[in-house]
Amino acid sequence: MELPVIHNAAPAAAGGGGCSSGGCGSAPDALAHLPEHIRARVQDHPCYSEEAHHHFARMHVAVAPACNIQCHYCNRKYDCSNESRPGVVSELLTPEQAVRKTLAVAAAIPQMSVLGIAGPGDPLANPERTFATFRMLSEQAPDIKLCVSTNGLALPECVDELARHNIDHVTITINCVDPEIGARIYPWIFWNHRRMRGVEAARILVEQQQKGLEMLTARGILVKVNSVMIPGINDEHLKEVSKVVKAKGAFLHNVMPLIAEAEHGTYFGLTGQREPTAAELETLQEACAGDMAMMRHCRQCRADAVGMLGEDRGAEFTLDKIDALEVDYASAMVERAKVHERINAELERKRQLRAAPRFQPGLVISETPPPALRKVRMAVATKGSGLINEHFGHAHEFLVYEVGADSARFLGHRKCTPYCMGDTSCGDGESVLAGILRSLEGVEVLLASKIGFEPWGELEKAGIQPNGEHAMEAIDDALRAVYDEMAAAGKLAAAPAGARAAA
Ligand SMILES: C[S@@+](CC[C@H](N)C(=O)[O-])C[C@H]1O[C@@H](n2cnc3c(N)ncnc32)[C@H](O)[C@@H]1O
Ligand code: SF4
Ligand code: SF4
């Protein structure tokens, strides 16, 4: 006689292996498989850890106006407070102003852990301004992590200086390892006092990037690689890029969508080069993820962004406002240390919970294995702190997760125009709502702290189940609860292979 099969109470997700004990809770961190010593260095970095980005803040200081190359997707713009994309800034700062601003922001936002220089041009094409800023900051704000983002052309000659300033993390934008492809992205580089064009220029850029990457990793500096996905130009090629940069020691790959709109005045924007769709980006990120850890939560911030990722508090810290502030940085540093300790303790508690079996030992004995359950894409509206705490109508982005029986995996964010821009006027509501529904393609459930009557009906019509029952709950707990309710209601029977994109 065959023995009965012993199952845990939780059925397994379709296609999901994972915890046979019935679920580890959600595992939102794409860095889970990195060595412990690297995880420890990035766990409070909002850009390097998806988990940390709900709790820690960052800022960029715009001290680097010039660039030593041209990318077909870049047009730097000043005095612009209403555009949120790389290269845009309201105020260009001197190093001294940048330090004053950093101290003021760090004193006001205790969650802040990281200061980056990411333009508006290339930080290493402005080495005096960049390194003067880092030098003063490492003396005056030793508790803030310093990062820099570069195209890599001048990187090899700057690596020693970066190491001297205790820069722990560097981002290199690498869009290709093949100069023929590079020649379609970079019209020129400025090299040895002259402008160079074509494949030869791209070859020099590629070589400098690769050399800089090797030099940094040899010194133990963590390197993230940014790549801009440009459909028809480097999209297929980025899989190769991912393999190459991983082999050379990069620890994280951030494949970002091209932003190309005619009104930005870039070559790609003006010539109609299309941006990738959310689905195309996700597919490419999946393909690259086989080789290395992927960043999926990059918000493609302005060069003067301030606050949590996804929010911009820059307007609160303009030069005239910070000049009027009295900053007691020593006291602020003590307060920030306490806040970080509390956040880290809470994150550690959650990690322990995830590691523990989700279901207690009361095993169920049955003759038949539990049915396989499909995965569900759910979107959440959040203002940060890892909570469902944003009104549907106020959300300017939704975070999308793929939820299975034993994990909730972060897939990315979908930007949108908020449905309701204020308390009373929802003026352009209808067309805005159509855009939101389009951005939520593939999503089955939407969780927000509140959802109005009209969007509720339209979401339902579009096949998305609105859910406002988990306001102020932790995102992972809420996703888990909704998934379990759907399972209990028999809504998650596995679809036949290939029947659903999300399964
Ligand atoms: C403004 S740049 C500044 C740092 C440096 N110059 C660089 O390119 O790495 C910061 C990041 O934004 C990216 N970026 C700039 N314009 C973009 C666009 N139109 N679409 C997507 N990414 C863009 C760059 O490729 C880079 O990874
Ligand atoms: S390297 Fe950076 S700043 Fe320079 S053109 Fe490209 S995106 Fe713009
Ligand atoms: S652009 Fe991406 S990596 Fe840079 S601060 Fe914003 S989220 Fe972080």
Side-chain angles (χ1 to χ4, degrees), residues 189-219:
I189 69 167
F190 199 73
W191 180 246
N192 288 339
H193 311 291
R194 68 190 181 99
R195 207 171 292 269
M196 296 185 64
R197 299 176 189 275
V199 177
E200 180 56 9
R203 188 186 57 73
I204 293 168
L205 179 60
V206 167
E207 280 173 12
Q208 289 290 99
Q209 290 172 336
Q210 297 299 317
K211 189 170 165 196
L213 166 58
E214 286 167 19
M215 290 171 73
L216 288 170
T217 54
R219 281 166 177 73

Side-chain angles (χ1 to χ4, degrees), residues 296-319:
R296 297 168 203 264
H297 61 283
C298 179
R299 301 304 201 277
Q300 297 179 283
C301 310
R302 293 163 56 102
D304 56 6
V306 173
M308 308 295 284
L309 301 197
E311 76 173 0
D312 192 358
R313 297 179 56 182
E316 294 171 43
F317 301 98
T318 51
L319 283 177

Side-chain angles (χ1 to χ4, degrees), residues 90-112:
S90 289
E91 294 175 314
L92 202 59
L93 306 179
T94 64
E96 291 71 23
Q97 289 169 331
V99 171
R100 269 215 315 283
K101 180 170 175 176
T102 307
L103 299 183
V105 170
I109 305 179
Q111 297 94 331
M112 191 182 130

Side-chain angles (χ1 to χ4, degrees), residues 374-377 442-444 463 486 491 493-503:
R374 66 182 177 84
K375 294 178 180 173
V376 179
R377 283 185 184 205
V443 166
E444 290 184 55
M486 291 176 81
K491 295 180 179 168
R500 305 184 58 91

Side-chain angles (χ1 to χ4, degrees), residues 66-69 71 73-76 85-88 117-123 149-152 171-175 226-229 254 256-260 264 266 300-301 303:
C67 194
N68 47 5
I69 71 172
C71 304
Y73 49 70
C74 178
N75 181 17
R76 297 185 289 286
R85 63 177 173 86
V88 168
I117 302 184
D122 196 83
S149 179
T150 176
N151 61 49
T171 296
I172 315 175
T173 303
I174 301 182
N175 294 319
N226 276 0
S227 299
V228 181
M229 176 186 185
N254 175 21
M256 314 179 288
L258 171 73
I259 300 168
H264 298 157
T266 61
Q300 297 179 283
C301 310

